Amino acid sequence: MAYTSVAKQNLVYAYNICSMLGLDDHTYTHLSCRSKCDQGFHIQQFGLKFAEITLDNLLTVSFSGAILAGEEQIYNKTGYQTHGVVYKARPDVGAIFHLHTPSMVAVSAMEEGLLPISQWALHFYDRIAYHAYDSLVLDDRQSAKMVQDLGMNSVMLMRNHGCLIAAKTIHEAMFYTHHLELACQTQVKALSMQRGLSFPSAEVCKKTVQDLLSFEDDLGLRDWCAWVRQLNRHQQGS
């Protein structure tokens, strides 16, 4: 896979867009993209909020966790253990988002996981993985289990923790992030009404996920351009 400086700029946009949408968790979550040379990945310095991320404070990190470019005073072992192992195991992955919004955590804690009760949720019908909670990801054993549970999926709910999104591109990762967040918010609201739920048939669910994920050739690109335009307006104060 080929990556240019455009990918780094898009990673900065992704951080800033997630901040604009309220999807960050102070300084505790992280996004990354594979480096141009394919010897590592780009990720933010630890301790920065998503709104603070610029090209100047992105790090380049090897798949084993060594800092190749940039300087970080506090070593973010969880970030490197989470991202590096997935890139090594999945050559098809160009971007990884790790987030934990309250809605994502709430759904991840449900035994049933994500329910097919909204069109947002149907983006992930039979295409979502689950990973049991095992404290902070700090060692190779935990990383290996995480990669095993992810398999060849693009989206995984980490029980009692949040989500991991492993996509081909940054804009595809943002596409999944948007739909997963709204699916989780909808599920939390629907369950709070304490009434019976309506479920589409399995046949409809299977057709819908195919339709939704084949709607455009480059998944998420159209929406990504709209997010960037919104971010530019937001940053200009208009």
Side-chain angles (χ1 to χ4, degrees):
M1 301 178 72
Y3 294 87
T4 70
S5 59
V6 173
K8 289 183 69 175
Q9 180 59 67
N10 283 341
L11 182 60
V12 172
Y13 284 148
Y15 275 110
N16 297 164
I17 290 167
C18 285
S19 173
M20 178 180 68
L21 299 176
L23 300 175
D24 51 346
D25 179 14
H26 198 46
T27 66
Y28 297 108
T29 49
H30 24 82
L31 320 176
S32 71
C33 70
R34 194 183 289 266
S35 68
K36 178 182 177 181
C37 64
D38 201 21
Q39 299 299 311
F41 58 95
H42 305 296
I43 193 169
Q44 89 271 34
Q45 294 178 11
F46 192 43
L48 297 177
K49 291 177 68 68
F50 280 16
E52 299 179 278
I53 304 306
T54 67
L55 286 171
D56 292 336
N57 53 40
L58 285 179
L59 303 172
T60 303
V61 183
S62 74
F63 297 136
S64 59
I67 296 177
L68 303 177
E71 184 175 350
E72 184 168 14
Q73 295 180 344
I74 304 174
Y75 188 75
N76 185 8
K77 190 170 184 178
T78 59
Y80 307 147
Q81 286 284 152
T82 300
H83 294 251
V85 292
V86 176
Y87 285 122
K88 284 194 290 186
R90 293 277 302 274
D92 61 305
V93 170
I96 298 171
F97 287 14
H98 173 54
L99 300 165
H100 24 81
T101 69
S103 295
M104 291 178 185
V105 176
V107 172
S108 78
M110 289 191 60
E111 183 177 351
E112 299 88 345
L114 186 65
L115 301 173
I117 59 172
S118 69
Q119 183 165 282
W120 293 304
L122 291 178
H123 286 81
F124 311 104
Y125 184 76
D126 274 350
R127 293 171 180 249
I128 190 166
Y130 293 89
H131 173 66
Y133 186 72
D134 190 16
S135 190
L136 299 178
V137 181
L138 296 173
D139 60 47
D140 292 342
R141 175 193 59 81
Q142 292 170 301
S143 296
K145 184 63 168 66
M146 184 183 65
V147 170
Q148 178 184 346
D149 290 342
L150 177 64
M152 294 306 296
N153 293 288
S154 296
V155 178
M156 181 167 70
L157 280 178
M158 304 172 75
R159 298 287 192 182
N160 316 103
H161 188 163
C163 80
L164 183 76
I165 294 175
K168 297 183 185 70
T169 63
I170 293 170
H171 53 264
E172 183 181 79
M174 193 69 223
F175 176 90
Y176 289 134
T177 296
H178 170 70
H179 291 292
L180 180 63
E181 172 64 9
L182 291 181
C184 290
Q185 287 185 17
T186 300
Q187 182 165 322
V188 170
K189 291 180 179 180
L191 293 173
S192 73
M193 293 187 292
Q194 299 182 2
R195 304 294 296 269
L197 297 176
S198 173
F199 290 84
S201 68
E203 181 180 2
V204 168
C205 290
K206 291 175 182 177
K207 180 180 186 303
T208 301
V209 69
Q210 293 292 337
D211 290 343
L212 290 170
L213 298 186
S214 62
F215 192 74
E216 55 184 323
D217 293 334
D218 193 350
L219 190 63
L221 180 59
R222 183 186 63 253
D223 288 347
W224 173 257
C225 294
W227 287 129
V228 172
R229 292 194 301 270
Q230 182 180 349
L231 176 67
N232 288 333
R233 293 193 300 270
H234 177 77
Q235 292 178 334
Q236 293 166 5
S238 60

